[in-house]
Amino acid sequence: MLAIGSDHAGFGLKQAVMAHLKERGIEFKDYGTYTEESCDYPDFAEAVSQAIIGGEADRGILICGTGIGISIAANRHREIRAAVCGDCFSAEATRQHNDANVLAMGARVVGEGLALKIVDTFLDTPFSNGTNHVRRISKMS
Ligand code: RB5
């Protein structure tokens, strides 16, 4: 299961991402926010992080204005490897090399078309399982 969350700045793009996930038949749960009213991105980073840490979700998508604040908040957890991606190369590389379990995006940075391609790349790319990468990740956790 995929956990998805955003603040008010990411709300619109999150709706588009969720419609795309539905079209692809990917199971997800929306952890908020549920309106465009101003709110605090750490709250949604926390909800999605806890869903992953608790085993309810295996990966997550977080969206704020830049993708930065919400990824910083999520990365405070030892178990979370959140990567801000604004291009497909980074989305692919962070899955292959970092086994990133959260994709963060900035709704004020990427357009909807690119964002959906980034989502697909992130979801469809497996971790390489390379010895070097496994060792480096274990040094972080
Ligand atoms: C909200 O205005 C904005 O600060 C937030 O969405 C995010 O970009 C923070 O990193």
Side-chain angles (χ1 to χ4, degrees), residues 7-9 41 64-66 68-70 108:
D7 70 356
H8 57 286
Y41 57 82
C64 67
T66 58
I68 297 170
I70 209 157
R108 295 172 181 161

Side-chain angles (χ1 to χ4, degrees), residues 38-52:
S38 183
C39 59
D40 301 333
Y41 57 82
D43 297 341
F44 307 98
E46 187 61 22
V48 166
S49 298
Q50 290 304 340
I52 295 169

Side-chain angles (χ1 to χ4, degrees), residues 42-114:
D43 297 341
F44 307 98
E46 187 61 22
V48 166
S49 298
Q50 290 304 340
I52 295 169
I53 293 165
E56 193 180 333
D58 35 45
R59 277 193 265 176
I61 296 177
L62 287 170
I63 308 171
C64 67
T66 58
I68 297 170
I70 209 157
S71 66
I72 291 173
N75 278 320
R76 290 185 171 254
H77 298 284
R78 188 176 285 271
E79 302 86 344
I80 301 298
R81 293 176 302 281
V84 187
C85 296
D87 62 89
C88 293
F89 180 87
S90 301
E92 183 180 54
T94 198
R95 285 290 310 128
Q96 291 173 335
H97 292 212
N98 316 124
D99 196 17
N101 53 6
V102 173
L103 167 66
M105 294 189 294
R108 295 172 181 161
V109 182
V110 291
E112 186 181 309
L114 175 58

Side-chain angles (χ1 to χ4, degrees), residues 7-42:
D7 70 356
H8 57 286
F11 177 80
L13 181 56
K14 186 179 65 174
Q15 302 307 114
V17 169
M18 291 192 300
H20 183 66
L21 294 173
K22 255 184 215 157
E23 241 171 59
R24 284 197 52 181
I26 294 170
E27 198 200 343
F28 65 90
K29 183 171 168 187
D30 180 10
Y31 287 82
T33 185
Y34 304 112
T35 70
E36 284 182 312
E37 197 181 320
S38 183
C39 59
D40 301 333
Y41 57 82

